[in-house]
Amino acid sequence: MELKKKTGGQLIVEALEAQGAERVFCVPGESYLAVLDGLYDSQIPVTVCRQEGGAAMMAEAYGKLTGRPGICMVTRGPGATNAAAGVHVAQQDATPMILFVGQIETGMRERDAFQEVNYRQMFGGMAKWVAEIDHAARVPEFISRAYHVATSGRPGPVVLALPEDMLVEEVHAQVAPMMQPVESYPSAQQMADLDMMLKAARNPMVIIGGSRWTETARDQLTRFAERYDLPVAVAFRRQMLFDHLHPNYAGDVGIGINPKLKSRVEQADLLLVVGDILSEMASQSYTLLEIPVPQQKLVHVHPGPEELGRVYAPTLAINASPLAFASMLEDLRPSVAPAWSAHREAAHQDYLAWSGARPEVPGDLQMAQVVDWLENNLPDDAIIANGAGNYATWVHRFHRFRTYGSQLAPTSGSMGYGLPAAIAGKLKHKERMVLCFAGDGCLQMTMQELGTAAQENANIIVIVVDNGIYGTIRMHQEREYPGRVSATTLQNPAFARIAEAYGFYSATIRSAEEFGPAFEQAAAGNRPALLHLLLDPEAITPVKSLTAIREESQKA
């Protein structure tokens, strides 16, 4: 019997089903109607978003949570340029993601047709691979390759453009099997070399980060740290990779690093860096380690061979995914009792003191009390999503992450990320509590996605920390140009009323005493919720006011 021909649009959906795609995030467009029609007959759920940047960020967050590419579909031209924000997050965060973009018909190229964009040029420096599928028969091949590229080595985004005429072309095509990420393992000699370096060390430290982790790999690395009694730090916005109350946890190596942890990294004689590349934030603007040859002996483990030796020349380079490397750690055993137990204990106590501080800030709303309430009441597996801004310090410094998969935060520092990421987190884990922690400026980058949360019954809790300014920029402005305020003041809406219009439970919080009861109301309701926290703009950081920053700069 002759197989029935299928359109390119149908083949794309069939290929996604074969690859186990769990969900599609999209903003619809006439340029890929044939794909939308194919999804009509599919079991893949479709989340309809309000703007392509939000859709791409949801797909990126889904990729973070699952380790398989998050899927985003947008229309050509403006749809693609809007989605670029999420593609950049995926690139910097090493997250597997595939962006499908509608495209003009192949016969119209190079005429500046309606919404025509050369996507290879546009995304070429941002995505791991950019291609156009000109022939429907090649759809299974291209999508299989896209999955392999997005997940292998250092993961990242892939962009596939879909010309309209290809999407309606009818062909016979064979479905490609579901792919599995390619794992690169350390050699026996490399593991033996690592063991010898640990035996010779007197002050070692582990720093973990990046992607391609699993809960199993996290547990295996934790057991390795326990056997060798090693202090373990996490890279910027990768805090969920180690239990913060574990006695081996030393803190996070990122923005606003604990000065004592910074000193410990600098004074270490052996650094074992797993999965991370120690880029600008983790390296304290490339000052933490000397370039190209660090003073510390460096064992660098990374799944992307191009990252090994790119900035830092390692003593021992191991091309392996964190998952594969952690599995090999199970065979390592110290032959003598580690000599650095006191060092490890001191590092953990320094972290507890640093994260346990509860500074008072100007104004009626004391964020330290809000943090305390959350720490005492949130379940350990609660997922916290945030974007970028000074407000995020209250999460990153003071919240103690306990479980794998509990953090969605952009290492790229992308504003607007928290709300889309929280929605994706709730759609993946409906049984877990999911919080979006956002600043007023940050939330308004993607605030329209409140409608997506309402439509999907994604019962997230949004905590908006509103100080009426672009806080991080104002802080730097006062430091560099004290008293010369320009373009950093915001006239904000009544966020609670906007949320209420979307069907959310909402409340405006003016003091910490109001927070707990309002949060309990939010958690008890069977709908999304938003809590609008009014913070004094003087409370620009947990430890300094805007006035203090301005005065320090004027004195300098």
Side-chain angles (χ1 to χ4, degrees), residues 192-203:
D193 290 345
L194 171 59
D195 185 47
M196 290 299 295
M197 292 173 73
L198 284 167
K199 288 176 180 176
R202 291 293 176 267
N203 192 19

Side-chain angles (χ1 to χ4, degrees), residues 40-198:
Y40 180 86
D41 298 314
S42 173
Q43 297 301 307
I44 301 175
V46 179
T47 295
V48 183
C49 306
R50 282 19 183 196
Q51 203 256 18
E52 292 87 358
M57 290 177 186
M58 289 184 208
E60 191 279 342
Y62 211 86
K64 265 194 178 84
L65 288 168
T66 64
R68 293 187 70 84
I71 305 299
C72 181
M73 294 182 178
V74 301
T75 197
R76 64 196 179 197
T81 53
N82 284 342
V87 176
H88 183 253
V89 176
Q91 184 271 319
Q92 289 234 316
D93 287 35
T95 304
M97 171 186 169
I98 302 175
L99 175 68
F100 293 91
V101 183
Q103 177 61 304
I104 62 170
E105 293 184 13
T106 55
M108 295 184 181
R109 288 176 181 156
E110 306 296 336
R111 293 176 175 171
D112 197 20
F114 179 62
Q115 297 180 336
E116 180 177 2
V117 171
N118 183 322
Y119 296 112
R120 289 187 178 91
Q121 289 182 349
M122 175 182 168
F123 289 108
M126 196 183 306
K128 287 188 72 178
W129 180 47
V130 186
E132 292 199 10
I133 310 178
D134 286 347
H135 304 287
R138 297 190 68 184
V139 164
E141 170 199 342
F142 272 68
I143 293 183
S144 175
R145 178 177 171 183
Y147 266 78
H148 280 86
V149 172
T151 58
S152 300
R154 175 180 171 171
V158 167
V159 179
L160 293 179
L162 312 173
E164 282 188 73
D165 50 329
M166 180 279 293
L167 291 177
V168 296
E169 179 187 1
E170 293 187 341
V171 297
H172 297 298
Q174 183 179 359
V175 177
M178 180 185 286
M179 60 73 59
Q180 296 299 327
V182 176
E183 299 297 345
S184 48
Y185 285 80
S187 69
Q189 184 60 55
Q190 288 174 326
M191 297 306 291
D193 290 345
L194 171 59
D195 185 47
M196 290 299 295
M197 292 173 73
L198 284 167

Side-chain angles (χ1 to χ4, degrees), residues 16-38:
L16 290 175
E17 290 174 333
Q19 294 299 335
E22 295 181 1
R23 183 172 293 272
V24 167
F25 299 92
C26 80
V27 175
E30 70 273 18
S31 62
Y32 69 101
L33 284 176
V35 181
L36 296 175
D37 184 68

